[in-house]
Amino acid sequence: MTAPTDTITLNDGHTIPQLGLGVWELTPEEAYSSTRAAIAAGIRHIDTAAGYGNEAEVGRAVADAVADGEVTRDDLFITTKLWNADQGYDDALEALGVSLDNLGLDHVDLWLIHWPVEKWDRYVDTWKAFVTAREEGRARSIGVSNFYPEVLDEIVRATGVTPAVNQIEIHPGLSQQEQRADNQARGIATESWSPLGRGVLGHPVIEKIAAEHGVTPAQVVIRWHLDQGLIVFPRSRRPERVAENADVAGFSLTPDQVEAITAIDDDPDYSGRIGADPRDAVFGTPLA
Ligand code: NAD
């Protein structure tokens, strides 16, 4: 098997590789080695954030992979996110400059507002800065993370610009049907964060389906995301797992298997959020 090359076309006409690598909680050194392992395994999409403290090493891994002739910059899709403390029109635009310097890039392919932090009431001005950054070409596509209908309504009303993506917590046990339907109705692509969940890889339904396909539980869960049209970027510090998570092109799930995994939402031993509820999160986020 190999890494899938499927892409999703965003509402601004740009395309995004459906499968990527996430680098949350990786040390700078691990972010470097995982990014190199992912590119070597055929992954072309990396999801980082200012708040992860590893943009510089992701950038160095990209530069080294390009210098070694493995890929060109244009083959790659790089996402970063604005940290909460930098919300506001001027602060956001300045923070994008810092992220680009860290990454060693002149543009990111996707820039996201990491959390709305509704209580601070700065997300509308922040979104205006994102629109400016897209006009400047410093962010090809712009989107949000952890947004819900009320805050989506406000940023679209203020600017007339709909985010290209909304990155939200999704895994077996938290399939988020309502927010996904809301995103879809607005023309927003959905990205899944913490896609492998916590502990759910040992769920008997997932283990059974893995055995039926002769693949690993992680590969089954990654396919569950891909087969539903979600954009997904599992994280691992271990190069062999990065390669395993990329190696999902050779099989797909039946509709019944997708449904059986989604039904884990109703299993109290495995269901629920891992991270903060975006309506409450201020700094009480997984990164606090
Ligand atoms: P994940 O769901 O990708 O992985 C969870 C755990 O699974 C990790 O501990 C990992 O070591 C383990 N794992 C990975 N591959 C495995 C395999 N093949 N077999 C067994 N175990 C395996 O975790 P995540 O990092 O929380 O989420 C993925 C990415 O989503 C992040 O790295 C980040 O880029 C993004 N994210 C965004 C937000 C947000 O607020 N926007 C929040 C959390 C994560």
Side-chain angles (χ1 to χ4, degrees):
M1 290 196 277
T2 50
T5 54
D6 306 68
T7 58
I8 300 269
T9 301
L10 303 174
N11 62 16
D12 58 13
H14 292 297
T15 56
I16 180 170
Q18 206 186 346
L19 179 63
L21 170 79
V23 297
W24 177 42
E25 284 194 322
L26 299 188
T27 65
E29 295 70 28
E30 291 166 347
Y32 178 87
S33 54
S34 285
T35 301
R36 291 300 303 261
I39 292 172
I43 296 294
R44 297 291 177 260
H45 166 188
I46 312 292
D47 183 272
T48 185
Y52 300 170
N54 54 28
E55 287 175 315
E57 287 70 22
V58 168
R60 192 160 58 79
V62 166
D64 288 354
V66 170
D68 289 350
E70 291 173 29
V71 283
T72 66
R73 164 68 183 98
D74 289 345
D75 293 333
L76 297 173
F77 190 102
I78 309 296
T79 299
T80 197
K81 313 184 191 85
L82 177 80
W83 185 234
N84 300 345
D86 294 319
Q87 283 211 26
Y89 187 86
D90 292 334
D91 285 358
L93 288 172
E94 196 179 321
L96 176 59
V98 174
S99 283
L100 290 173
D101 283 350
N102 283 337
L103 286 161
L105 300 176
D106 62 3
H107 73 275
V108 284
D109 298 281
L110 179 61
W111 190 35
L112 304 180
I113 303 181
H114 208 141
W115 295 85
V117 202
E118 188 178 358
K119 283 177 196 146
W120 291 358
D121 199 19
R122 284 195 271 159
Y123 55 94
V124 171
D125 280 347
T126 303
W127 185 241
K128 289 178 182 167
F130 273 57
V131 174
T132 299
R134 191 178 68 173
E135 286 164 4
E136 293 170 346
R138 293 197 296 158
R140 286 262 165 92
S141 294
I142 51 174
V144 295
S145 179
N146 301 303
F147 272 51
Y148 40 92
E150 302 90 293
V151 286
L152 285 168
D153 284 345
E154 280 208 55
I155 61 171
V156 175
R157 197 181 306 125
T159 60
V161 177
T162 299
V165 314
N166 187 13
Q167 182 179 125
I168 58 174
E169 180 180 344
I170 301 180
H171 41 79
L174 189 76
S175 73
Q176 294 259 36
Q177 302 296 333
E178 281 183 24
Q179 188 57 55
R180 280 163 58 185
D182 182 84
N183 290 343
Q184 192 173 11
R186 297 171 194 264
I188 299 175
T190 300
E191 298 190 332
S192 306
W193 66 251
S194 292
L196 302 179
R198 298 288 181 272
V200 80
L201 297 181
H203 193 286
V205 164
I206 291 171
E207 287 189 331
K208 178 167 169 286
I209 294 171
E212 284 164 8
H213 287 282
V215 299
T216 67
Q219 290 172 325
V220 165
V221 171
I222 292 164
R223 274 280 27 136
W224 176 79
H225 292 273
L226 297 175
D227 289 351
Q228 297 179 90
L230 298 164
I231 299 160
V232 60
F233 24 82
R235 172 244 320 180
S236 178
R237 59 173 54 83
R238 290 163 49 175
E240 70 278 11
R241 279 189 170 170
V242 171
E244 174 188 327
N245 295 345
D247 192 12
V248 292
F251 76 107
S252 56
L253 304 179
T254 66
D256 284 353
Q257 289 172 330
V258 170
E259 205 177 304
I261 296 170
T262 302
I264 296 174
D265 277 355
D266 300 323
D267 183 337
D269 291 338
Y270 291 88
S271 61
R273 287 185 187 278
I274 297 168
D277 185 331
R279 286 189 163 80
D280 305 327
V282 178
F283 274 116
T285 70
L287 290 165

